[in-house]
Amino acid sequence: MEFTDLMAERWSCRAFRPEPVEEEVLRGIFATAQQTASWCNTQPWGVHLLSGDTAQWFGKELSEHVVANASPEQQSPDLDLPAAYTGVYQQRRREAGYALYESLGIERSDLGRRAEQMLLNYTFFGAPHVAVVTSDRSQGTYGAVDCGGYVANLMNAALDVGVASIAQGAIGMYAGAVRELLGLDDDRVVVCGVSLGRPDEEHPVNAFRTSRAALDELVTVVERP
């Protein structure tokens, strides 16, 4: 697939078929993502890949922890969460959320179904594979930025071979539980999860797409005075 087509077609899958992706295809995806550029070529990302029954076990344990520790005070992120969403950022966030719930027929006032949909993050929307991405703690913000580049390339590499994906920052909100379940060392920082698999093309949520801001809203051309 041409790169411009790949970027235009990439989307976040929220309903997967259960069958696993072939091992050689998965290895190819991760081998491509490994070419990601990084600060001083440190390659700070690490990946714990869980599949099949192991992914289901992880999702069950993690989702039960989330239900039992639902208040913000009980979250345990390694990275600072957004302090607030204001102005245009709040507008974009609301637009995406409303469109998602509309695709599923969930009313804005139906807090119960909205909560149920949110919890699907922690069972990875039924994906047969989940990659938990971590960074080297000592590299701080720059390590996390490098991991962001890695995650983007991982998802693009997946789409190029017909594998759907979604990046899930929600997993990082409960880094403490993730750390315990996976036995992570203290020098690793939980960044996010990436769920991978074949999309359930019949599910209405997979027809949902987010919009993108116009280029002029985000790119400022600076000329010499």
Side-chain angles (χ1 to χ4, degrees), residues 199-223:
D200 180 352
E201 295 174 344
E202 301 300 317
H203 199 292
V205 76
N206 283 336
F208 155 70
R209 297 291 185 273
T210 54
S211 64
R212 288 295 180 269
L215 200 61
D216 290 344
E217 292 182 42
L218 301 171
V219 178
T220 300
V221 178
V222 180
E223 298 182 2

Side-chain angles (χ1 to χ4, degrees), residues 46-63:
V47 177
H48 285 66
L49 180 62
L50 297 84
S51 301
D53 291 344
T54 305
Q56 291 182 19
W57 160 80
F58 182 57
K60 177 179 180 295
E61 295 291 328
L62 187 56
S63 59

Side-chain angles (χ1 to χ4, degrees), residues 32-218:
T32 298
Q34 189 58 31
Q35 303 305 312
T36 299
S38 60
W39 183 271
C40 299
N41 196 37
T42 57
Q43 305 167 61
W45 48 81
V47 177
H48 285 66
L49 180 62
L50 297 84
S51 301
D53 291 344
T54 305
Q56 291 182 19
W57 160 80
F58 182 57
K60 177 179 180 295
E61 295 291 328
L62 187 56
S63 59
E64 288 178 355
H65 176 85
V66 171
V67 170
N69 299 272
S71 68
E73 295 78 14
Q74 293 172 302
Q75 294 172 357
S76 55
D78 284 336
L79 302 175
D80 290 339
L81 299 179
Y85 296 95
T86 60
V88 67
Y89 309 113
Q90 177 71 320
Q91 294 172 17
R92 293 169 185 162
R93 182 171 182 259
R94 283 177 173 169
E95 177 194 353
Y98 292 156
L100 168 62
Y101 296 135
E102 183 178 2
S103 73
L104 293 166
I106 300 175
E107 299 291 337
R108 296 184 188 181
S109 59
D110 192 342
L111 300 183
R113 287 193 64 196
R114 288 173 62 173
E116 289 174 3
Q117 179 64 29
M118 181 278 294
L119 278 173
L120 293 179
N121 275 285
Y122 301 101
T123 52
F124 322 118
F125 302 106
H129 311 279
V130 58
V132 176
V133 179
T134 67
S135 182
D136 172 28
R137 184 181 297 275
S138 63
Q139 294 189 51
T141 301
Y142 282 99
V145 168
D146 284 342
C147 287
Y150 174 83
V151 167
N153 285 333
L154 181 67
M155 294 191 295
N156 286 332
L159 180 59
D160 193 43
V161 292
V163 175
S165 65
I166 181 170
Q168 295 174 266
I171 291 171
M173 296 166 65
Y174 290 90
V178 173
R179 182 179 312 285
E180 182 176 349
L181 289 167
L182 298 184
L184 299 178
D185 293 334
D186 289 340
D187 64 348
R188 301 308 298 176
V189 171
V190 177
V191 178
C192 68
V194 181
S195 295
L196 299 153
R198 307 293 182 186
D200 180 352
E201 295 174 344
E202 301 300 317
H203 199 292
V205 76
N206 283 336
F208 155 70
R209 297 291 185 273
T210 54
S211 64
R212 288 295 180 269
L215 200 61
D216 290 344
E217 292 182 42
L218 301 171

